[in-house]
Amino acid sequence: MAKELNINDIAEYLDNIGLQYMATISLDEKPKVRPVQFMILQDEKLWFCTNSEKAMYAELQKSPFVDLCASRLQEDEITTAWIRFSAEVVFPQKSEQTLEIKRSIMKKSSIVRELYNDNAEHPLFKVFFLKNIRGNLNNLGHVKGLDERKEFSPVIEFNF
């Protein structure tokens, strides 16, 4: 039986990968992919951040659905694992809790601290979390139509 993943496993996996790629629906209704970085796990939610002046923010305001994919190529390429999931983005209302989330993100990320002058209350600094996450953890050895190889980890589906 395949291992079941929980939200902590997903957060750890994203942290270990480092850079992820998030797809949004752009304002011209075409897909757009950009590098992002998972920031923190708080209250069983995966938190990310963006700038309210960026196209990504406007796109997510119009259509709050994303796909995310991440991987790090291994020396033995065929064993390379990857994660892919779909989710809905939620921008929470400004509150003391969101301020604490922003502070935690700044503590973790030197680039965020630098971009926003170490000011968690910077007006352009926006945080969001993901809900309705559905996806899987897979590896490059699983290819539909080819013989299944027992030495590879099984595909692990998840839904939060």
Side-chain angles (χ1 to χ4, degrees), residues 43 59-60 76 80 95 98 110:
D43 300 324
E59 293 162 3
L60 293 174
D76 180 9
T80 297
S95 68
T98 57
S110 61

Side-chain angles (χ1 to χ4, degrees), residues 127-145:
V127 295
F128 63 91
F129 65 88
L130 303 180
K131 70 176 188 176
N132 302 325
I133 301 169
R134 298 186 70 139
N136 62 63
L137 186 61
N138 205 334
N139 68 59
L140 297 179
H142 291 284
V143 181
K144 288 185 180 183

Side-chain angles (χ1 to χ4, degrees), residues 14 40 76-77 109 112-113 130 134 156:
L14 295 175
I40 62 169
D76 180 9
E77 294 175 1
S109 175
V112 173
R113 276 193 311 277
L130 303 180
R134 298 186 70 139
I156 303 173

Side-chain angles (χ1 to χ4, degrees), residues 78-119:
I78 201 163
T79 65
T80 297
W82 52 271
I83 190 170
R84 179 175 62 191
F85 60 80
S86 298
E88 186 174 351
V89 168
V90 177
F91 285 95
Q93 296 296 317
K94 186 176 178 180
S95 68
E96 190 57 40
Q97 180 191 22
T98 57
L99 186 57
E100 284 306 311
I101 297 291
K102 288 178 174 185
R103 287 180 181 134
S104 295
I105 288 172
M106 285 194 163
K107 183 177 180 182
K108 176 183 179 181
S109 175
S110 61
I111 191 168
V112 173
R113 276 193 311 277
E114 185 176 331
L115 289 171
Y116 299 104
N117 300 317
D118 202 16
N119 177 6

